[in-house]
Amino acid sequence: MGPLSSSTTNRKRPGIAGPAGIPGLFSFDEYQQDALQRFFLTLDVMRRRSEGYREHAAEAVPNVLDYKAELVLDGRTLPRPVNYLLVRIVPPDDVTVDPSRRPFVVVDPRAGHGPGIGGFKADSELGVAMKAGHPSYFVGFLPDPVPGQTIEDVARAEAAFLEEVSRRHPDAEGKPCVVGNCQAGWAVMMLAAIRPELFGPIIVAGAPLSYWAGVKGQYPMRYLGGLLGGSWLTALTSDMGAGVFDGAWLVQNFENQNPANTLWSKQYNLYSKVDTEADRYLGFEKWWGGHVCLNAEEIQFIVDELFIGNKLTSGEITTSDGTVVDLRNIRSPIVVFCSRGDNITPPQQALDWLLDLYDSVDEIRAFGQTIVYTIHDTIGHLGIFVSAGVARKQHDEFASNIDFIDLLPPGLYEAVFEPKDAAGAHPDLVTGDWAMRCEARTLDDIRALGGNDLEDERRFAAAARVSEINLALYRAFVQPFVRASVSPSLAESMRRLHPLRLGYEMFGAGNPWLGWIEQSAAAARKARCPAEPDNPWLAVQEQVSRQVVDGLDTVRKVAETASEDIFRAVYGSAALQAALGIDASSDRRPRKAAKNLLHQRLIEHRVAELRARMREGGLREAVVRALVYVGMARGRVDERGFEAIRRIRQEHPAAKALSLADFKAMVRDQFYMLRIDEEAALAALPGLLPDDEAARAGALEMLGTVLGASGALKGEAAGRLERISGIFSPASPPPPPRRKAPGGAKASGDRTPGANAAHRHDGQA
């Protein structure tokens, strides 16, 4: 009787062990039937994958969004047309959005794949934003670029999109929150540096910003440009595409980073769990195989200016009108989400731009920037966008607490999440399943993650110089012949023959040798008889799989070690660096951002203005100043404190009359006043308070409610609250001023709002 016979369905035979415990024949017969059925079912999944690939490619606007969308603005209609689209996400029937809440705009990466990963599942960035009540929009793109479009044109289009979103929500409390995934992260940051007025909080997820950064022995993808001799190969690939760069090559680079998964684990996981894994596999492959193209000008800019040149964080990129792209111009809070398990954008590439731009946290504060980061321990690059667990935790908390993040005083923070049940006091003030708090950090915390030393930076600078030379040589001596030899039809044929595309096509209807798959799979499905979980041959199968993975991982590690050693040896050569003009005697990092004397003068003017305003205002300003003063001693801010403020605003019409933007400005002004001259700011408090004792007592009670929302005050924070109580209570004189409190700031004279840079170590919160 054949292995697919329906008469064997649901019939289990006991496994009889052979000599010396070797798996017996009966268990092998059961396993053989199961394995053969899984083989046919797996082939059928691959057939369905090919069908889905063709159907997806035939769509007018292919995407993998899990939500309905309405077109708002087509980038092809703009003065400088691009292939980008702005759509409004239609909330599901069971979700209600609040028009008064700031909208979310999710921008998908154009890194070889089609759009939709930000809304790939119900538990996604778009999903959690709508669940939190925010109107949501999505920026995607078409598979083929508009001829002649550039990265700058795309930035202009995205600016037009944000203007349209803001126009549609004039009553929203705050500008749109913009989420930039992967390569969309640097694109969003560039635009925010040029047009900061368009943005509310910015969330960059898995976004590489400091491209040279990494740790020795890890993350070898950063060496790829140098090992290939620079970006001339990018230009050659674009020329072979008749001016169009096939995004499948970018996807191929991702695949090459993990050959064990590419060549074995992904397919084996499907085969071993084909009864339950097929839908998940097909859903992901629909996105993974949706390759898109870029213009030659676009990819050349990305590789030259960003990947190899690493010019973004040093302020060396300029627009066509001469505007310098300086990330220090961003006025919105920046949330950086990265993972130690991400070998595409490791934490160093996501965070070391801070070291390129700033010497201390005081400089971050001086520029008025609020930067929050969080580092996942294990999730991979794609998991940042597609993992439901990540969406329900990190992205959910960011969406639920985006206004809280927007109100944080300038500085550097790490977002820390703990289960609601373990959060301690007032769990009713926690909006989701996790409690988020932002703890003050310093640049030493970023350095502690590991990164390049000065010699490593010189190596990458040498690789960038070699890239420029090789690209110039290619353009002078080779490019004219390649362009003359490649026609658009030949380029299209070569794109269709790309190995990744062939992998989808070979199981499709165009292959006459595989017409039997569907019928055989139907028979296998009808007669399906899985082996028992304790079948010893399944254990053998798993062991073989582990050995294959271990072997491929070993090959990968050897190749990575060799590539790193070659890169370090070649570009670390003193002779080569000298020939390229790399100054080995300089102690300045090759891509360190320049200082701006004009900014320093503006800061001095701002300091004088804030000093003059210390005695201006009333009870509202006094309460905020007191709140910031006590909170500074804690070194952290908890979402429960913000939720307490939000509820107080709802209960008191006078407080609600102050918009979120005005409240944010007030918090920042009071924070800076305390940083400039803490004792002078506190001495001015009595003049801001009304004579009405009931009003003072009510304000003091409110301070206690907000400050105690995340737990009882201890240590210096409790001492500060006691001092504030003395100031707010007219019955007793305030305690004498203290010139310096442990962990606090002392009077600082004429210092920048960024704070005490010459007098305080960067480790102070």
Side-chain angles (χ1 to χ4, degrees):
M1 187 172 292
L4 300 183
S5 171
S6 61
S7 63
T8 62
T9 304
N10 298 324
R11 189 174 71 186
K12 303 294 181 183
R13 288 182 289 185
I16 301 177
I22 298 175
L25 294 178
F26 287 165
S27 58
F28 179 74
D29 183 48
E30 179 188 66
Y31 169 78
Q32 181 186 40
Q33 176 175 265
D34 174 43
L36 189 58
Q37 289 174 344
R38 282 188 280 122
F39 173 72
F40 289 130
L41 293 175
T42 300
L43 287 180
D44 189 56
V45 172
M46 303 303 286
R47 178 192 62 80
R48 291 162 58 194
R49 184 184 75 149
S50 294
E51 288 182 355
Y53 168 79
R54 284 179 171 274
E55 292 171 359
H56 188 63
E59 295 174 5
V61 185
N63 65 81
V64 292
L65 288 174
D66 191 50
Y67 299 96
K68 293 181 180 179
E70 297 176 347
L71 179 65
V72 174
L73 192 56
D74 188 336
R76 294 171 295 181
T77 65
L78 297 174
R80 291 285 300 174
V82 297
N83 66 330
Y84 277 68
L85 307 169
L86 171 68
V87 299
R88 183 184 77 88
I89 302 301
V90 179
D93 294 338
D94 59 342
V95 173
T96 302
V97 299
D98 183 354
S100 68
R101 305 209 67 178
R102 72 169 78 239
F104 265 60
V105 180
V106 175
V107 186
D108 245 21
R110 189 154 153 253
H113 301 290
I117 202 66
F120 184 58
K121 302 176 180 177
D123 289 319
S124 61
E125 291 162 334
L126 288 171
V128 299
M130 288 187 289
K131 187 181 75 172
H134 296 275
S136 296
Y137 293 81
F138 181 78
V139 176
F141 41 85
L142 299 171
D144 298 310
V146 174
Q149 80 176 40
T150 65
I151 293 296
E152 188 174 334
D153 293 332
V154 172
R156 290 195 189 100
E158 291 176 348
F161 292 165
L162 293 179
E163 289 172 343
E164 176 63 20
V165 171
S166 294
R167 187 190 67 78
R168 286 169 160 254
H169 298 272
D171 299 326
E173 283 201 330
K175 293 291 185 178
C177 173
V178 182
V179 182
N181 290 322
C182 188
Q183 290 202 45
W186 57 255
V188 164
M189 293 284 279
M190 287 176 61
L191 178 58
I194 301 171
R195 298 286 306 277
E197 77 281 1
L198 298 176
F199 288 80
I202 300 168
I203 302 175
V204 287
L209 295 172
S210 186
Y211 297 84
W212 293 354
V215 178
K216 188 177 184 300
Q218 301 179 45
Y219 318 126
M221 194 173 184
R222 61 193 179 126
Y223 301 123
L224 186 60
L227 294 173
L228 295 175
S231 67
W232 70 273
L233 191 57
T234 303
L236 172 62
T237 305
S238 297
D239 291 336
M240 295 292 288
V244 174
F245 182 89
D246 186 359
W249 292 110
L250 296 176
V251 180
Q252 185 75 66
N253 283 339
F254 295 154
E255 294 271 27
N256 292 341
Q257 298 307 301
N258 191 352
N261 182 68
T262 300
L263 300 176
W264 180 261
S265 297
K266 184 166 62 172
Q267 285 69 235
Y268 174 75
N269 188 56
L270 171 64
Y271 168 73
S272 63
K273 306 173 185 175
V274 71
D275 296 307
T276 58
E277 189 69 9
D279 290 341
R280 190 208 65 82
Y281 178 87
L282 291 171
F284 181 79
E285 287 294 305
K286 181 179 179 181
W287 174 73
W288 192 247
H291 307 127
V292 299
C293 295
L294 298 89
N295 277 338
E297 296 88 348
E298 294 179 285
I299 191 64
Q300 203 66 44
F301 175 94
I302 294 170
V303 175
D304 286 339
E305 303 296 309
L306 303 173
F307 291 169
I308 296 179
N310 195 33
K311 297 178 181 179
L312 176 59
T313 58
S314 58
E316 296 181 45
I317 295 178
T318 58
T319 63
S320 59
D321 61 1
T323 302
V324 176
V325 180
D326 189 341
L327 299 184
R328 292 172 296 192
N329 292 336
I330 298 174
R331 300 273 70 86
S332 303
I334 302 168
V335 179
V336 180
F337 180 24
C338 54
S339 173
R340 291 183 177 88
D342 185 351
N343 66 337
I344 303 298
T345 306
Q348 293 76 19
Q349 290 190 15
L351 291 168
D352 276 14
W353 59 279
L354 297 171
L355 306 179
D356 296 336
L357 290 173
Y358 305 106
D359 291 329
S360 69
V361 170
D362 289 328
E363 281 196 32
I364 295 176
R365 297 186 183 114
F367 278 89
Q369 288 195 316
T370 301
I371 300 168
V372 181
Y373 70 90
T374 188
I375 305 176
H376 197 283
D377 286 330
T378 59
I379 200 72
H381 184 69
L382 296 177
I384 291 175
F385 317 120
V386 302
S387 169
V390 168
R392 288 193 295 265
K393 184 179 179 182
Q394 282 86 354
H395 290 302
D396 192 14
E397 287 299 311
F398 292 146
S400 300
N401 294 292
I402 201 65
D403 292 336
F404 159 57
I405 293 172
D406 198 14
L407 286 177
L408 287 173
L412 178 64
Y413 303 87
E414 180 178 6
V416 179
F417 306 90
E418 61 180 345
K420 179 178 181 178
D421 295 339
H426 301 291
D428 58 301
L429 295 176
V430 177
T431 55
D433 296 329
W434 299 83
M436 184 177 81
R437 66 177 184 273
C438 294
E439 299 185 352
R441 294 289 185 259
T442 72
L443 294 187
D444 287 338
D445 294 292
I446 304 300
R447 297 185 185 101
L449 297 173
N452 293 338
D453 57 24
L454 191 54
E455 291 183 358
D456 291 325
E457 295 285 299
R458 293 194 190 109
R459 290 185 178 96
F460 282 99
R465 294 278 178 88
V466 167
S467 177
E468 293 170 359
I469 294 170
N470 286 344
L471 179 60
L473 292 173
Y474 169 79
R475 284 174 168 167
F477 298 110
V478 180
Q479 189 175 63
F481 299 100
V482 176
R483 288 185 170 180
S485 304
V486 179
S487 65
S489 59
L490 177 60
E492 177 61 26
S493 297
M494 287 190 288
R495 274 193 289 274
R496 294 188 63 180
L497 291 174
H498 190 283
L500 290 186
R501 288 192 174 87
L502 286 178
Y504 288 87
E505 295 281 7
M506 65 183 296
F507 289 97
N511 188 341
W513 301 101
L514 298 180
W516 51 269
I517 289 179
E518 187 173 5
Q519 183 178 358
S520 298
R525 198 173 292 111
K526 182 179 180 181
R528 185 74 179 108
C529 187
E532 292 290 349
D534 60 352
N535 188 297
W537 290 98
L538 289 177
V540 173
Q541 172 187 294
E542 290 293 325
Q543 180 62 31
V544 170
S545 176
R546 283 192 293 269
Q547 291 176 347
V548 172
V549 170
D550 290 345
L552 291 172
D553 277 339
T554 300
V555 172
R556 173 184 58 82
K557 291 174 183 177
V558 170
E560 290 176 354
T561 301
S563 65
E564 181 175 64
D565 291 344
I566 292 171
F567 181 92
R568 294 175 66 85
V570 171
Y571 293 107
S573 166
L576 177 63
Q577 290 185 6
L580 295 170
I582 305 296
D583 186 1
S585 63
S586 174
D587 60 356
R588 179 179 174 81
R589 297 175 66 185
R591 285 293 185 265
K592 185 68 176 176
K595 302 295 182 183
N596 189 327
L597 292 178
L598 175 60
H599 179 260
Q600 183 60 35
R601 298 296 176 265
L602 293 173
I603 288 296
E604 292 171 359
H605 176 76
R606 177 72 168 147
V607 167
E609 176 195 354
L610 289 170
R611 279 184 175 280
R613 291 174 47 204
M614 280 187 181
R615 297 185 179 276
E616 296 179 3
L619 180 61
R620 194 161 51 189
E621 286 76 11
V623 169
V624 172
R625 189 178 303 177
L627 188 65
V628 173
Y629 169 67
V630 179
M632 286 168 63
R634 274 183 155 174
R636 60 182 175 84
V637 187
D638 194 291
E639 70 168 273
R640 287 168 287 183
F642 172 73
E643 178 62 17
I645 293 175
R646 190 185 68 82
R647 294 184 183 183
I648 290 172
R649 289 184 74 228
Q650 289 179 335
E651 295 170 1
H652 296 79
K656 196 173 182 179
L658 188 68
S659 71
L660 191 66
D662 291 338
F663 185 59
K664 173 183 176 179
M666 183 187 299
V667 169
R668 292 195 165 214
D669 285 352
Q670 301 306 319
F671 171 79
Y672 280 138
M673 289 176 187
L674 288 164
R675 300 291 301 183
I676 292 168
D677 193 333
E678 185 177 286
E679 291 304 327
L682 293 177
L685 275 179
L688 305 182
L689 297 173
D691 294 332
D692 186 345
E693 294 188 15
R696 290 189 179 201
L700 193 58
E701 181 182 358
M702 183 178 68
L703 279 171
T705 299
V706 173
L707 292 168
S710 55
L713 297 177
K714 299 178 182 178
E716 176 62 16
R720 290 190 176 201
L721 180 59
E722 182 182 354
R723 184 178 181 186
I724 290 297
S725 298
I727 295 174
F728 274 64
S729 301
S732 59
R738 292 176 292 179
R739 298 302 299 168
K740 178 116 170 73
K746 64 180 180 180
S748 55
D750 277 328
R751 301 183 197 162
T752 70
N756 316 332
H759 301 271
R760 299 176 66 245
H761 187 270
D762 189 34
Q764 292 279 358

